[in-house]
Amino acid sequence: MSTRTITREEAIRLTKEFFADVDALRVEETGSYYDEDALCQFGNQPIVQGKNEIKKLLADWYDLFDSMYHDNQTLNLDAEENTIITSQLVEYVIKAHGDKNPVVIPSMSYMKLAPSCSGGKWKFIDFRVYFDTSPIFKKVMTTSS
């Protein structure tokens, strides 16, 4: 497996496909983008390590929502570092909540890729989402009370 950097076209395709799986709330498909020892963090939640732990995190996270939609605004690529940074507005419709109006939160995603493309697919070795989760949990808490 040789080391190479991702191209801008590959980065655009990767993020489009990845966020389509995220928005469809597909745990296995979303989990397939992570390397076996990857790191993942949502907001100020603890860092999770390892593909299986990340899939558990995704399952718990997705279980909160009826739907999710990422409106990607920007994509910045540092090809030398194999790093993609995106900004997006994310719409979350909370599960079991009478109000189907989405919670809309701006976010930034940091995606550090493995140094080579494995089996024709790029893998995240470090994935961080920077956003304020409090509006989501505030609405979740009004659902459960």
Side-chain angles (χ1 to χ4, degrees):
M1 180 169 23
S2 64
T3 300
R4 75 175 183 89
T5 58
I6 192 168
T7 66
R8 181 159 186 81
E9 293 74 26
E10 288 174 311
I12 291 168
R13 185 174 58 251
L14 171 66
T15 56
K16 182 178 179 181
E17 292 170 358
F18 172 73
F19 285 117
D21 283 331
V22 170
D23 289 344
L25 307 175
R26 294 189 286 247
V27 172
E28 289 300 319
E29 289 83 349
T30 305
S32 74
Y33 288 87
Y34 293 88
D35 190 68
E36 289 301 321
D37 295 319
L39 301 173
C40 182
Q41 183 178 29
F42 292 164
N44 60 353
Q45 301 299 310
I47 296 172
V48 172
Q49 183 171 15
K51 182 187 269 191
N52 289 332
E53 292 302 311
I54 292 169
K55 290 193 313 191
K56 289 178 192 173
L57 171 71
L58 294 170
D60 291 344
W61 182 245
Y62 292 171
D63 195 44
L64 297 174
F65 309 113
D66 277 334
S67 66
M68 183 186 317
Y69 173 71
H70 288 75
D71 180 10
N72 293 307
Q73 307 285 308
T74 63
L75 181 145
N76 293 292
L77 173 64
D78 182 343
E80 281 186 28
E81 296 295 324
N82 261 6
T83 301
I84 303 167
I85 299 172
T86 61
S87 66
Q88 51 272 324
L89 291 175
V90 188
E91 296 181 5
Y92 301 93
V93 175
I94 307 303
K95 190 179 279 186
H97 197 279
D99 174 10
K100 293 299 179 188
N101 291 319
V103 175
V104 180
I105 300 176
S107 71
M108 180 183 302
S109 298
Y110 167 90
M111 301 166 233
K112 174 76 173 165
L113 302 169
S116 59
C117 188
S118 173
K121 187 168 184 177
W122 289 97
K123 302 282 186 175
F124 302 134
I125 58 173
D126 194 353
F127 185 89
R128 314 284 173 120
V129 184
Y130 298 96
F131 66 128
D132 179 8
T133 59
S134 61
I136 294 168
F137 290 109
K138 180 179 178 184
K139 198 163 185 179
V140 166
M141 295 309 290
T142 62
T143 301
S144 59
S145 51

Short mmCIF file of all heavy atoms in Angstrom, two decimals, residues 107-133:
data_model
loop_
_atom_site.label_atom_id
_atom_site.label_comp_id
_atom_site.label_asym_id
_atom_site.label_seq_id
_atom_site.Cartn_x
_atom_site.Cartn_y
_atom_site.Cartn_z
N SER A 107 -21.92 23.82 11.85
CA SER A 107 -20.85 22.95 12.34
C SER A 107 -19.67 22.95 11.40
O SER A 107 -19.77 23.38 10.25
CB SER A 107 -21.36 21.52 12.55
OG SER A 107 -21.59 20.90 11.32
N MET A 108 -18.56 22.46 11.92
CA MET A 108 -17.36 22.28 11.13
C MET A 108 -16.85 20.87 11.38
O MET A 108 -16.79 20.42 12.52
CB MET A 108 -16.29 23.29 11.51
CG MET A 108 -15.03 23.13 10.70
SD MET A 108 -13.71 24.26 11.17
CE MET A 108 -14.48 25.82 10.94
N SER A 109 -16.50 20.18 10.32
CA SER A 109 -15.97 18.82 10.42
C SER A 109 -14.51 18.80 9.98
O SER A 109 -14.16 19.34 8.94
CB SER A 109 -16.77 17.86 9.53
OG SER A 109 -18.11 17.80 9.94
N TYR A 110 -13.70 18.16 10.80
CA TYR A 110 -12.28 17.96 10.54
C TYR A 110 -12.08 16.48 10.26
O TYR A 110 -12.43 15.64 11.09
CB TYR A 110 -11.46 18.40 11.76
CG TYR A 110 -10.02 17.97 11.75
CD1 TYR A 110 -9.05 18.77 11.18
CD2 TYR A 110 -9.63 16.76 12.32
CE1 TYR A 110 -7.72 18.38 11.18
CE2 TYR A 110 -8.31 16.35 12.33
CZ TYR A 110 -7.35 17.17 11.75
OH TYR A 110 -6.04 16.78 11.74
N MET A 111 -11.57 16.16 9.07
CA MET A 111 -11.40 14.77 8.66
C MET A 111 -9.95 14.53 8.25
O MET A 111 -9.52 14.98 7.20
CB MET A 111 -12.31 14.46 7.47
CG MET A 111 -13.77 14.68 7.73
SD MET A 111 -14.72 14.68 6.19
CE MET A 111 -15.58 16.24 6.39
N LYS A 112 -9.21 13.83 9.10
CA LYS A 112 -7.83 13.45 8.79
C LYS A 112 -7.88 12.04 8.21
O LYS A 112 -8.45 11.12 8.82
CB LYS A 112 -6.97 13.48 10.06
CG LYS A 112 -5.56 12.97 9.88
CD LYS A 112 -4.70 13.97 9.18
CE LYS A 112 -3.25 13.49 9.17
NZ LYS A 112 -2.47 14.21 8.23
N LEU A 113 -7.31 11.88 7.03
CA LEU A 113 -7.37 10.60 6.32
C LEU A 113 -6.11 9.78 6.51
O LEU A 113 -5.02 10.32 6.74
CB LEU A 113 -7.56 10.86 4.82
CG LEU A 113 -8.81 11.67 4.45
CD1 LEU A 113 -8.75 12.10 3.01
CD2 LEU A 113 -10.05 10.87 4.74
N ALA A 114 -6.27 8.46 6.40
CA ALA A 114 -5.12 7.56 6.41
C ALA A 114 -4.19 7.96 5.27
O ALA A 114 -4.65 8.54 4.27
CB ALA A 114 -5.60 6.12 6.26
N PRO A 115 -2.91 7.64 5.38
CA PRO A 115 -1.95 8.10 4.37
C PRO A 115 -2.08 7.42 3.01
O PRO A 115 -1.35 7.75 2.09
CB PRO A 115 -0.59 7.80 5.00
CG PRO A 115 -0.86 6.79 6.04
CD PRO A 115 -2.27 6.96 6.49
N SER A 116 -3.00 6.50 2.87
CA SER A 116 -3.21 5.88 1.56
C SER A 116 -4.65 5.40 1.44
O SER A 116 -5.36 5.24 2.43
CB SER A 116 -2.24 4.72 1.35
OG SER A 116 -2.43 3.76 2.36
N CYS A 117 -5.05 5.21 0.21
CA CYS A 117 -6.40 4.75 -0.10
C CYS A 117 -6.41 3.23 -0.02
O CYS A 117 -5.67 2.56 -0.73
CB CYS A 117 -6.74 5.25 -1.52
SG CYS A 117 -8.41 4.99 -2.02
N SER A 118 -7.23 2.67 0.86
CA SER A 118 -7.24 1.23 1.09
C SER A 118 -8.42 0.58 0.36
O SER A 118 -9.57 0.91 0.62
CB SER A 118 -7.34 0.96 2.59
OG SER A 118 -7.52 -0.39 2.84
N GLY A 119 -8.11 -0.31 -0.57
CA GLY A 119 -9.18 -1.00 -1.30
C GLY A 119 -10.06 -0.06 -2.09
O GLY A 119 -11.25 -0.31 -2.23
N GLY A 120 -9.48 1.04 -2.55
CA GLY A 120 -10.26 2.01 -3.32
C GLY A 120 -11.09 2.94 -2.49
O GLY A 120 -11.88 3.72 -3.01
N LYS A 121 -10.93 2.91 -1.16
CA LYS A 121 -11.73 3.77 -0.29
C LYS A 121 -10.83 4.47 0.73
O LYS A 121 -10.03 3.82 1.41
CB LYS A 121 -12.79 2.93 0.44
CG LYS A 121 -13.77 3.76 1.23
CD LYS A 121 -14.94 2.91 1.67
CE LYS A 121 -15.97 3.77 2.37
NZ LYS A 121 -17.15 3.02 2.76
N TRP A 122 -10.98 5.78 0.85
CA TRP A 122 -10.26 6.55 1.85
C TRP A 122 -10.89 6.31 3.21
O TRP A 122 -12.10 6.18 3.34
CB TRP A 122 -10.30 8.04 1.51
CG TRP A 122 -9.46 8.38 0.33
CD1 TRP A 122 -9.88 8.53 -0.95
CD2 TRP A 122 -8.06 8.61 0.33
NE1 TRP A 122 -8.81 8.83 -1.76
CE2 TRP A 122 -7.68 8.89 -1.00
CE3 TRP A 122 -7.08 8.59 1.32
CZ2 TRP A 122 -6.37 9.16 -1.36
CZ3 TRP A 122 -5.76 8.87 0.95
CH2 TRP A 122 -5.42 9.14 -0.37
N LYS A 123 -10.07 6.25 4.26
CA LYS A 123 -10.54 6.01 5.62
C LYS A 123 -10.13 7.18 6.53
O LYS A 123 -9.02 7.70 6.41
CB LYS A 123 -9.93 4.72 6.20
CG LYS A 123 -10.22 3.48 5.40
CD LYS A 123 -11.60 2.98 5.64
CE LYS A 123 -11.81 1.64 4.95
NZ LYS A 123 -13.08 1.04 5.24
N PHE A 124 -11.03 7.53 7.44
CA PHE A 124 -10.72 8.55 8.44
C PHE A 124 -9.89 7.93 9.55
O PHE A 124 -10.21 6.85 10.05
CB PHE A 124 -11.99 9.12 9.08
CG PHE A 124 -12.97 9.72 8.11
CD1 PHE A 124 -14.31 9.42 8.21
CD2 PHE A 124 -12.57 10.59 7.12
CE1 PHE A 124 -15.24 9.97 7.34
CE2 PHE A 124 -13.48 11.14 6.24
CZ PHE A 124 -14.82 10.83 6.35
N ILE A 125 -8.82 8.63 9.95
CA ILE A 125 -8.08 8.21 11.13
C ILE A 125 -8.38 9.15 12.30
O ILE A 125 -8.14 8.81 13.45
CB ILE A 125 -6.55 8.10 10.88
CG1 ILE A 125 -5.97 9.42 10.39
CG2 ILE A 125 -6.26 6.97 9.91
CD1 ILE A 125 -4.44 9.42 10.29
N ASP A 126 -8.92 10.31 12.00
CA ASP A 126 -9.32 11.27 13.03
C ASP A 126 -10.47 12.10 12.46
O ASP A 126 -10.33 12.71 11.40
CB ASP A 126 -8.15 12.17 13.40
CG ASP A 126 -8.37 12.97 14.68
OD1 ASP A 126 -9.50 12.94 15.23
OD2 ASP A 126 -7.42 13.63 15.13
N PHE A 127 -11.60 12.07 13.14
CA PHE A 127 -12.79 12.79 12.67
C PHE A 127 -13.36 13.56 13.85
O PHE A 127 -13.71 12.97 14.87
CB PHE A 127 -13.83 11.79 12.13
CG PHE A 127 -15.03 12.45 11.53
CD1 PHE A 127 -15.04 12.78 10.19
CD2 PHE A 127 -16.14 12.75 12.31
CE1 PHE A 127 -16.16 13.39 9.63
CE2 PHE A 127 -17.25 13.36 11.75
CZ PHE A 127 -17.26 13.68 10.42
N ARG A 128 -13.44 14.88 13.70
CA ARG A 128 -13.97 15.73 14.77
C ARG A 128 -15.06 16.62 14.19
O ARG A 128 -14.91 17.16 13.09
CB ARG A 128 -12.88 16.64 15.35
CG ARG A 128 -11.55 15.97 15.68
CD ARG A 128 -11.61 15.15 16.94
NE ARG A 128 -10.38 14.41 17.11
CZ ARG A 128 -9.57 14.53 18.15
NH1 ARG A 128 -9.85 15.37 19.11
NH2 ARG A 128 -8.49 13.79 18.23
N VAL A 129 -16.13 16.77 14.93
CA VAL A 129 -17.20 17.69 14.54
C VAL A 129 -17.28 18.75 15.62
O VAL A 129 -17.48 18.43 16.80
CB VAL A 129 -18.56 16.99 14.39
CG1 VAL A 129 -19.60 17.98 13.90
CG2 VAL A 129 -18.47 15.81 13.45
N TYR A 130 -17.09 20.00 15.21
CA TYR A 130 -17.14 21.12 16.14
C TYR A 130 -18.48 21.81 15.99
O TYR A 130 -18.79 22.39 14.94
CB TYR A 130 -15.98 22.08 15.86
CG TYR A 130 -14.65 21.42 16.06
CD1 TYR A 130 -13.94 20.87 15.00
CD2 TYR A 130 -14.12 21.30 17.34
CE1 TYR A 130 -12.72 20.23 15.21
CE2 TYR A 130 -12.90 20.67 17.56
CZ TYR A 130 -12.20 20.14 16.48
OH TYR A 130 -11.01 19.51 16.69
N PHE A 131 -19.32 21.68 17.03
CA PHE A 131 -20.64 22.31 17.03
C PHE A 131 -21.19 22.30 18.45
O PHE A 131 -20.70 21.59 19.31
CB PHE A 131 -21.58 21.60 16.06
CG PHE A 131 -21.95 20.18 16.41
CD1 PHE A 131 -23.27 19.80 16.46
CD2 PHE A 131 -20.99 19.21 16.66
CE1 PHE A 131 -23.63 18.49 16.77
CE2 PHE A 131 -21.33 17.90 16.96
CZ PHE A 131 -22.67 17.54 17.02
N ASP A 132 -22.19 23.12 18.65
CA ASP A 132 -22.84 23.23 19.94
C ASP A 132 -24.02 22.26 19.98
O ASP A 132 -25.01 22.46 19.28
CB ASP A 132 -23.31 24.67 20.15
CG ASP A 132 -24.04 24.88 21.47
OD1 ASP A 132 -24.06 23.96 22.31
OD2 ASP A 132 -24.59 25.98 21.64
N THR A 133 -23.89 21.20 20.76
CA THR A 133 -24.94 20.19 20.83
C THR A 133 -26.08 20.56 21.78
O THR A 133 -27.10 19.88 21.80
CB THR A 133 -24.35 18.83 21.28
OG1 THR A 133 -23.74 19.01 22.57
CG2 THR A 133 -23.35 18.30 20.28
#
